[in-house]
Amino acid sequence: MNHSQKRSHADVGADRNADRNADLGAYIGQVLVESYAVNERMNQIVLEHLDPAAWRAKLPGSKGRTIAAIFSHVHNIRRKWLRLSAPYVKLPAALSSASCTQKQARAALLESGARCSEMLADALSGTQAVSKSGLKTGPRSNVEAFVRDGWAKPWPAGAAMVAYMLSHDAHHRGQVGMLAHQLGYPLPAKAAQRIWVWEKLWKECGFTNPR
């Protein structure tokens, strides 16, 4: 076997590894997009079971946000992410914390969640794998960077983008649960338990079980 043949075999092996890495990247990307959709399902469960009396209630002496304002903020921040990071995606209408109803918030979050899932699917589709024979590139993504705000440094579109978006929702969902409890309208136990049964949430979103 001459030198060129040995090099050719090495390149074939490198290409196979690159293909495996690309397949793994696509798989992880799909799971992350599904996880974000499941996260939105959790928001919907909270809104579904939240006592309407807690929607605009305030703690005595508190200057903090109402639950209506918290969910409006979550939706409107999503709009900002979409506008700055994926301007080609159609923006859902903004929510007014002063006037939106619980029903309107549910519909708005469902829509912004779907648009964000679209953005994430696109951001995670541009997989790349390097082999000795050159760069192997998957479909080019329209989302090249994640821009959180005008003051924030853009991040490369990828897994950290999903982690940030999930953490933001989870933070405010926790605030809602605590505030509802403090106001005297705690979420029913069945709702608090249901948001942790991810196998069922995955199915409710139309996915197979977590992989």
Side-chain angles (χ1 to χ4, degrees):
M1 183 181 293
N2 59 38
H3 179 70
S4 62
Q5 286 175 316
K6 288 182 179 180
R7 187 173 182 180
S8 177
H9 288 170
D11 286 345
V12 169
D15 286 345
R16 287 175 179 170
N17 286 334
D19 288 339
R20 292 192 194 100
N21 290 338
D23 289 343
L24 178 60
Y27 164 76
I28 292 174
Q30 180 61 32
V31 172
L32 289 173
V33 173
E34 291 179 4
S35 296
Y36 188 78
V38 169
N39 159 77
E40 175 51 35
R41 182 68 192 124
M42 295 166 78
N43 291 334
Q44 293 294 316
I45 290 171
V46 171
L47 281 163
E48 177 185 344
H49 293 281
L50 180 71
D51 192 317
W55 186 239
R56 297 193 185 283
K58 287 189 175 183
L59 293 172
S62 174
K63 294 183 180 180
R65 289 175 173 146
T66 63
I67 292 177
I70 292 172
F71 276 122
S72 296
H73 164 75
V74 170
H75 172 75
N76 291 332
I77 282 294
R78 288 174 174 179
R79 293 182 75 255
K80 179 179 288 187
W81 295 338
L82 289 165
R83 177 172 56 82
L84 296 176
S85 306
Y88 63 93
V89 175
K90 182 180 178 181
L91 280 180
L95 271 181
S96 168
S97 60
S99 61
C100 72
T101 65
Q102 205 165 320
K103 182 178 179 180
Q104 288 171 334
R106 286 187 65 184
L109 283 166
L110 197 62
E111 183 177 2
S112 63
R115 298 290 78 76
C116 282
S117 290
E118 179 183 343
M119 174 176 69
L120 290 175
D122 199 353
L124 295 167
S125 68
T127 56
Q128 293 183 331
V130 179
S131 72
K132 290 184 179 179
S133 60
L135 183 66
K136 299 191 66 169
T137 308
R140 181 173 177 82
S141 170
N142 290 319
V143 183
E144 297 184 354
F146 176 45
V147 186
R148 293 167 289 154
D149 209 324
W151 52 262
K153 182 178 180 180
W155 294 356
M161 174 184 185
V162 187
Y164 184 91
M165 293 170 67
L166 288 170
S167 297
H168 186 266
D169 271 28
H171 167 71
H172 289 299
R173 196 162 49 239
Q175 284 185 324
V176 168
M178 177 60 74
L179 182 54
H181 182 82
Q182 292 173 330
L183 290 167
Y185 306 105
L187 291 170
K190 63 180 180 180
Q193 294 167 359
R194 188 175 166 196
I195 63 174
W196 289 108
V197 186
W198 275 49
E199 293 81 2
K200 289 185 178 180
L201 296 179
W202 232 269
K203 289 182 179 179
E204 289 173 9
C205 292
F207 308 133
T208 57
N209 283 337
R211 296 168 286 169

